[in-house]
Amino acid sequence: MAALPYWRLSSFYLFYFALLGSTAPFLALYFDHLGFSSARIGELVAIPMLMRCVAPNIWGWLGDYTGRRLAIVRFGAVCTLLTFSLIFVSKTYAWLAMVMALHAFFWHAVLPQFEVITLAHLKGQTSRYSQIRLWGSIGFIITVVALGRVFEWLSLDVYPVALVLIMAGIVVSSVWVPNAQPVQSERVTGEGFLKQLRSPGVLAFYGCVALMQMSHGPYYTFLTLHLERLGYSRGVIGMLWAVGVVAEVLMFLAMSRILARFSVRRVLLASFLLAALRWLLLGSFAEFLSVLLFAQVLHAATFGSFHAAAIQFVQRSFGARQQGQGQALYAALAGTGGALGALYSGYSWNALGATLTFSIASLAAFAAAVIIATRMQEDRP
């Protein structure tokens, strides 16, 4: 317990999710600032998610094969910074598409391998994972609030500079983190990844991961533009994003007690049902501030409890030599769903409007709830 490098691990999550806090709310806004249509915005936002379908599996296999996960994390962090810096060369659609693809290929190498390193440092104390991961949420909050204010005072032209600075922070924090290797598990030693993948409920779980992230498509792609057109200022929008992540932080703090009392299956089921409700509220009632605040608080379920329960499910479903591939497949299916969500919302936003676009998201989350209820076996808390 005393040897746990808590602050070194936490600093990495802080910077990594600070980058997400600068892209999820503002990337589409920046592309809109450059003059792209909603369809082109959806495509540009989808490209990093599409790379998330491929890159984590490549890097995950390499991490499991070589065992050099921390080297992969550091290499990925440096290459993310270098390739994204190409954005200063040109702002054409083709060039931006290339930049989105290149930097995402390396960015998505980082987190799945770092999750394995973190769990290895915890040495089976998975309940402490949420205490470390919450610093990622804090990084997200700080960034989204600060940039919301900055973009009220300054032009969105400074946006790429902010991202490069945060990427530099990821590089520095990755150098500070000590290495750790997962302990071999007697229960699954000798079993291959595909055999573990065919265990009861595992494939159903991964399908639901894709559906959950697909349901987030209009949220991550168009929520900022949606709220801006409803009359909310960029500063207020940044605060509203932060409300969701504050709720997520509180959920992470409570997850060790929740998972001690409720099964992973029940936590996932509740998360999917609340996601279905949240997207309906955002699509139909976002002009009412009280409803909007409540919908943002539900981020505690749609990301917080979902992610913590999902990480625990993956960690217990795969052996030490398959942890990287298990985490990578989680990231890849999340990327697949996220890309589909960004693409469909980009094409439907103008054609169908916000209400129907978010309604499709609600149906995706509800479908995942049905699958979890019918296909995943009950586990003991």
Side-chain angles (χ1 to χ4, degrees):
M1 186 86 64
L4 179 68
Y6 178 84
W7 291 111
R8 297 188 185 195
L9 295 170
S10 299
S11 68
F12 182 88
Y13 283 102
L14 186 144
F15 280 107
Y16 185 92
F17 285 95
L19 183 57
L20 184 61
S22 63
T23 54
F26 300 117
L27 187 60
L29 188 65
Y30 177 66
F31 292 145
D32 181 70
H33 170 72
L34 294 179
F36 293 109
S37 68
S38 61
R40 299 292 84 77
I41 291 171
E43 291 164 0
L44 288 171
V45 171
I47 288 171
M49 298 179 184
L50 287 170
M51 295 307 297
R52 193 177 175 189
C53 307
V54 178
N57 290 301
I58 296 173
W59 296 109
W61 173 84
L62 188 62
D64 286 339
Y65 182 76
T66 65
R68 301 186 64 185
R69 304 183 197 281
L70 188 57
I72 291 173
V73 168
R74 291 168 175 168
F75 177 76
V78 170
C79 290
T80 299
L81 173 61
L82 294 177
T83 52
F84 184 81
S85 297
L86 295 172
I87 198 171
F88 297 108
V89 175
S90 174
K91 300 296 191 298
T92 64
Y93 174 81
W95 187 263
L96 289 174
M98 183 195 70
V99 171
M100 292 296 103
L102 284 176
H103 96 275
F105 180 78
F106 295 106
W107 187 31
H108 293 314
V110 170
L111 187 60
Q113 300 309 307
F114 196 82
E115 297 276 38
V116 177
I117 294 169
T118 298
L119 292 169
H121 276 295
L122 290 171
K123 296 183 175 68
Q125 306 169 55
T126 52
S127 62
R128 297 200 69 195
Y129 167 81
S130 296
Q131 299 170 15
I132 295 172
R133 172 59 182 80
L134 70 85
W135 284 97
S137 303
I138 292 171
F140 189 105
I141 292 168
I142 293 171
T143 306
V144 75
V145 172
L147 289 183
R149 294 297 182 187
V150 167
F151 296 146
E152 282 191 339
W153 302 329
L154 302 174
S155 167
L156 276 162
D157 292 330
V158 303
Y159 179 68
V161 177
L163 267 62
V164 165
L165 292 175
I166 295 170
M167 289 174 183
I170 296 175
V171 172
V172 173
S173 63
S174 72
V175 174
W176 195 34
V177 171
N179 199 12
Q181 294 291 344
V183 179
Q184 291 287 349
S185 170
E186 294 293 333
R187 181 174 64 87
V188 292
T189 297
E191 295 182 4
F193 175 70
L194 292 178
K195 184 175 180 180
Q196 295 169 41
L197 188 62
R198 291 193 297 269
S199 299
V202 175
L203 287 175
F205 162 78
Y206 278 114
C208 291
V209 168
L211 285 171
M212 181 61 126
Q213 295 308 313
M214 177 181 170
S215 78
H216 279 72
Y219 176 72
Y220 284 128
T221 309
F222 290 111
L223 180 67
T224 298
L225 290 170
H226 179 46
L227 298 182
E228 193 172 59
R229 286 162 187 170
L230 288 175
Y232 296 97
S233 69
R234 289 174 182 172
V236 170
I237 292 169
M239 293 295 292
L240 287 166
W241 278 88
V243 166
V245 186
V246 168
E248 170 192 316
V249 170
L250 296 176
M251 179 60 74
F252 276 130
L253 291 172
M255 277 309 296
S256 60
R257 293 189 295 274
I258 291 173
L259 288 172
R261 183 174 180 182
F262 300 101
S263 67
V264 168
R265 176 179 176 271
R266 292 186 180 183
V267 173
L268 289 173
L269 180 59
S271 300
F272 289 128
L273 290 174
L274 290 172
L277 172 63
R278 186 187 185 196
W279 309 140
L280 288 177
L281 295 177
L282 286 178
S284 301
F285 304 104
E287 63 269 25
F288 302 105
L289 183 59
S290 59
V291 176
L292 182 55
L293 286 169
F294 175 68
Q296 288 303 88
V297 169
L298 289 179
H299 194 72
T302 62
F303 182 82
S305 62
F306 166 75
H307 180 67
I311 288 294
Q312 182 149 322
F313 182 87
V314 173
Q315 194 270 337
R316 79 178 187 205
S317 297
F318 296 95
R321 292 186 62 84
Q322 291 79 32
Q323 281 289 307
Q325 293 173 79
Q327 295 288 353
L329 185 59
Y330 173 67
L333 268 296
T336 301
L340 290 173
L343 286 172
Y344 98 74
S345 60
Y347 295 131
S348 71
W349 194 255
N350 286 337
L352 301 179
T355 299
L356 285 177
T357 300
F358 273 107
S359 295
I360 296 171
S362 181
L363 285 174
F366 185 75
V370 172
I371 293 172
I372 288 294
T374 57
R375 303 293 295 175
M376 182 179 283
Q377 295 180 343
E378 188 64 64
D379 55 297
R380 289 188 298 174

